[in-house]
Amino acid sequence: MRILLLLIPISLVLLGVAIAAFVWAVKRGQFDDLDTPALDILEDDDRPAPPRGHRREGDTPPP
């Protein structure tokens, strides 16, 4: 029975920490836009690879 005197306050402290973390996340805007990050992976905006043997500006020539 004495263990309850220890476990109940610990659980209340952990509950308070979890609520504080949730409130902090809401205030910082973590839950403002939940759809866009999931849709970003579907966009095809990658540039094609340069042709083989093509040098970029600033590259040194091969030896």
Side-chain angles (χ1 to χ4, degrees), residues 6-62:
L6 180 66
L7 289 178
I8 290 174
I10 289 175
S11 65
L12 291 176
V13 168
L14 288 176
L15 177 65
V17 169
I19 290 172
F22 177 73
V23 169
W24 176 78
V26 169
K27 285 185 178 180
R28 300 229 352 154
Q30 295 293 316
F31 302 108
D32 285 349
D33 185 13
L34 298 177
D35 293 329
T36 302
L39 297 175
D40 283 345
I41 197 167
L42 299 176
E43 291 182 14
D44 188 24
D45 59 353
D46 294 337
R47 286 185 265 161
R52 193 175 190 110
H54 176 38
R55 291 191 334 210
R56 291 179 289 177
E57 189 176 327
D59 285 350
T60 57

